Amino acid sequence: MDIYGLIGYPLGHSFSISYHNQRFADEGINAKYLNFEIPSIDELPQVLGSNPNLKGLNVTIPYKEKVLPFLDFISPEARAIGAVNVIRVVHEGKKISLRGYNSDVIGFTQSIEPMLEDYHKKALILGTGGASKAVEYGLKSLGLECVHVSRYEKSGTIQYASITPDVVHEYNVIVNCTPVGMFPHTEECPQLPYEALDERNILYDLLYNPDETLFMKLGAERGATVKNGLEMLLLQAFASWEFWQGKET
């Protein structure tokens, strides 16, 4: 039986294990998907060594960037993003080769593209982690100018206190790539001038638990178009399977 899995820490929130195992059952695929909750990325070789039938991995927080030095090949797209969330494990005799890809950018781009209108030219990306880099790559591929928002003073970012009503009018696509508002902290949301939002704004939240985050709710109350990250998750999971099967184009 082929083994696939997810590395990250912690993994209590993971959607991947139920999705992939259900797919394997539905399609009669002789495979199993496991969670590998490792407190350090340095334990990756141990995961590989103890699972000789491992064919592929997903990578989640906090290892999308930390995993890069372990890989034998990184796709040009993933290298440009600086983050990997899919690893194809290739067995060549006794040698194991790890090939890294990014399916987050595929899932996000396919999910947000139908929402965009001609007046969506600029985007605010809340957060600076691995997922935010995939979002930036995707938005730029769709022709949008992007600015990252951070809680801290970082080069190339603006801080939440600098986001005025004029900013959200100009940067009318806002993507939340932070965990703020995720269950069980559903009463929290990124600090934005929500009262300034209108029907020309898109608020896209990579979170999917709860279905409607406070970030989305406050945007919808002002007429903004809102969407959670579930469709992106499904699309990137499908793309992961394509990468694992060697369909790299």
Side-chain angles (χ1 to χ4, degrees), residues 4-11 13-17 20 33-38 47 54 56-61 85 244:
Y4 299 88
L6 174 68
I7 58 170
Y9 191 84
L11 294 180
H13 65 282
S14 171
F15 159 93
S16 298
I17 189 167
H20 286 290
Y33 193 98
L34 305 172
N35 278 350
F36 299 106
E37 190 172 56
I38 54 175
V47 171
L54 189 65
L57 289 167
N58 286 125
V59 185
T60 190
I61 296 170
N85 75 312
W244 291 333

Side-chain angles (χ1 to χ4, degrees), residues 18-248:
S18 57
Y19 169 83
H20 286 290
N21 281 323
Q22 187 63 53
R23 179 176 183 181
F24 295 155
D26 290 345
E27 299 185 19
I29 298 169
N30 186 29
K32 189 173 183 179
Y33 193 98
L34 305 172
N35 278 350
F36 299 106
E37 190 172 56
I38 54 175
S40 168
I41 191 61
D42 293 327
E43 293 185 23
L44 176 58
Q46 184 179 335
V47 171
L48 296 167
S50 57
N51 294 276
N53 292 334
L54 189 65
K55 303 297 184 187
L57 289 167
N58 286 125
V59 185
T60 190
I61 296 170
Y63 300 138
K64 291 184 181 185
E65 296 157 293
K66 294 178 181 177
V67 77
L68 297 179
F70 291 84
L71 305 177
D72 301 290
F73 167 86
I74 302 171
S75 73
E77 199 168 47
R79 190 174 293 280
I81 293 165
V84 158
N85 75 312
V86 182
I87 299 173
R88 183 180 175 209
V89 182
V90 181
H91 297 268
E92 300 164 334
K94 292 187 177 181
K95 184 178 183 297
I96 295 176
S97 176
L98 303 180
R99 301 177 66 85
Y101 306 91
N102 192 299
S103 67
D104 281 338
V105 66
I106 297 170
F108 173 73
T109 306
Q110 290 179 350
S111 181
I112 199 170
E113 186 173 18
M115 304 171 67
L116 298 174
E117 303 290 350
D118 291 342
Y119 51 79
H120 292 126
K121 304 291 188 186
K122 297 182 179 182
L124 293 177
I125 301 173
L126 311 183
T128 58
S132 77
K133 293 177 180 179
V135 165
E136 179 184 17
Y137 189 96
L139 288 172
K140 285 183 175 179
S141 75
L142 295 171
L144 276 72
E145 180 182 323
C146 303
V147 171
H148 284 266
V149 183
S150 174
R151 289 176 295 167
Y152 312 106
E153 293 283 346
K154 288 184 179 180
S155 176
T157 71
I158 63 172
Q159 280 62 58
Y160 286 93
S162 302
I163 303 175
T164 64
D166 285 342
V167 171
V168 297
H169 289 153
E170 182 179 359
Y171 291 81
N172 53 9
V173 177
I174 306 175
V175 184
N176 179 35
C177 302
T178 78
V180 177
M182 184 168 68
F183 181 84
H185 304 292
T186 56
E187 75 290 349
E188 299 177 5
C189 64
Q191 297 304 303
L192 300 169
Y194 291 97
E195 70 282 356
L197 301 175
D198 59 31
E199 67 280 354
R200 293 170 70 89
N201 285 99
I202 291 174
L203 269 62
Y204 192 111
D205 203 328
L206 266 58
L207 301 178
Y208 53 89
N209 184 10
D211 290 339
E212 183 183 55
T213 60
L214 184 57
F215 167 75
M216 294 167 59
K217 183 175 185 290
L218 294 174
E221 288 175 353
R222 294 291 174 172
T225 302
V226 302
K227 193 169 193 175
N228 70 17
L230 184 58
E231 183 184 51
M232 171 185 168
L233 199 67
L234 292 167
L235 290 166
Q236 72 84 13
F238 181 80
S240 294
W241 179 251
E242 298 287 293
F243 285 129
W244 291 333
Q245 299 307 301
K247 300 171 185 176
E248 297 168 11

